Amino acid sequence: SYVLTQPPSVSVAPGQTARITCGGNNIGSKSVHWYQQKPGQAPVLVVYDDSDRPSGIPERFSGSNSGNTATLTISRVEAGDEADYYCQVWDSSSDHPDVVFGGGTKLTVL
Amino acid sequence: QVQLQESGPGLVKPSETLSLTCAVSGYSISSGYYWGWIRQPPGKGLEWIGSIYHSGSTYYNPSLKSRVTISVDTSKNQFSLKLSSVTAADTAVYYCARHNVPDPLDYWGQGTLVTVSS
């Protein structure tokens, strides 16, 4: 089965740039989706198809994907960005598509 | 606006079957999309359980496949999850969500906590 690897935690000061990575074998060939989850809430999609933003998501959220690493970048970080972030892909290596999530990264705003 | 709402018992005894329902509003299940279940143990990450296509085809996480059944009731515009032979390790917040392949899970329910305990 396909495995996605995320760092458990990332810390950044307000106003700085946070980069959260998601590693996977040749992940650059897949579409990567990113979710933000605040305590007690359901996940919210913040980036889809590597780098697109749903309506209502600030331009500060961006994504990239190449080789074995996808990256979620949050510019000008705010206190309200503190949350857990999960990457997700579809794994079609078996006879049916499987949803695969990364282990999640806790973003701490210092 | 598409909305999903999970419902079901919040407490299940070990070895019994966990049963949850996800009611969908603002979109007809029979019109398309996959409808899935995801869970999150306390303090841990997200785990996909399985999904059902509007036609009834199902896809399950291989690690849970032997214990999971997902079904759809288009007349009530809802879909359901059954997880058999539960243990304390199945204690989690259970979410339902809508998706297509290879698209993201775009609409989620608020989640419901299910505790497995005697």
Side-chain angles (χ1 to χ4, degrees):
Chain A
S1 60
Y2 194 79
V3 177
L4 295 174
T5 301
Q6 296 183 238
S9 63
V10 168
S11 299
V12 64
Q16 300 303 303
T17 297
R19 293 179 179 84
I20 298 172
T21 58
C22 177
N25 184 33
N26 197 27
I27 195 174
S29 67
K30 299 180 179 296
S31 291
V32 180
H33 315 303
W34 290 92
Y35 303 87
Q36 175 193 70
Q37 186 181 35
K38 296 183 178 180
Q41 298 182 19
V44 172
L45 182 68
V46 292
V47 167
Y48 67 97
D49 290 350
D50 299 338
S51 58
D52 291 334
R53 279 185 315 276
S55 60
I57 300 300
E59 292 183 5
R60 300 184 298 104
F61 288 81
S62 62
S64 62
N65 184 19
S66 180
N68 293 318
T69 304
T71 303
L72 173 69
T73 300
I74 309 172
S75 304
R76 302 180 300 282
V77 167
E78 303 173 357
D81 298 331
E82 188 162 285
D84 294 325
Y85 291 84
Y86 295 89
C87 57
Q88 179 251 313
V89 300
W90 286 92
D91 177 22
S92 299
S93 59
S94 64
D95 58 353
H96 61 78
D98 291 344
V99 178
V100 180
F101 289 104
T105 297
K106 180 175 180 58
L107 175 66
T108 299
V109 181
L110 301 171
Chain B
Q1 178 76 346
V2 181
Q3 293 184 317
L4 293 85
Q5 178 67 59
E6 306 89 350
S7 63
L11 181 64
V12 181
K13 290 182 169 55
S15 80
E16 295 189 344
T17 296
L18 178 159
S19 296
L20 296 174
T21 296
C22 181
V24 180
S25 59
Y27 188 86
S28 173
I29 285 180
S30 58
S31 295
Y33 282 92
Y34 288 81
W35 304 89
W37 288 96
I38 301 93
R39 71 179 183 179
Q40 184 172 37
K44 296 187 178 181
L46 301 169
E47 179 183 35
W48 173 67
I49 298 170
S51 298
I52 188 165
Y53 196 46
H54 69 95
S55 62
S57 299
T58 51
Y59 305 100
Y60 300 136
N61 185 325
S63 68
L64 297 169
K65 185 176 182 178
S66 63
R67 298 194 291 131
V68 174
T69 302
I70 296 176
S71 59
V72 64
D73 186 341
T74 54
S75 67
K76 294 182 178 179
N77 213 39
Q78 64 187 33
F79 60 105
S80 300
L81 167 70
K82 291 188 185 297
L83 181 65
S84 64
S85 304
V86 298
T87 69
D90 295 309
T91 294
V93 174
Y94 285 76
Y95 296 98
C96 56
R98 187 187 83 163
H99 63 82
N100 255 333
V101 180
D103 298 334
L105 288 71
D106 57 359
Y107 289 98
W108 295 65
Q110 65 184 28
T112 186
L113 175 63
V114 179
T115 301
V116 178
S117 175
S118 55

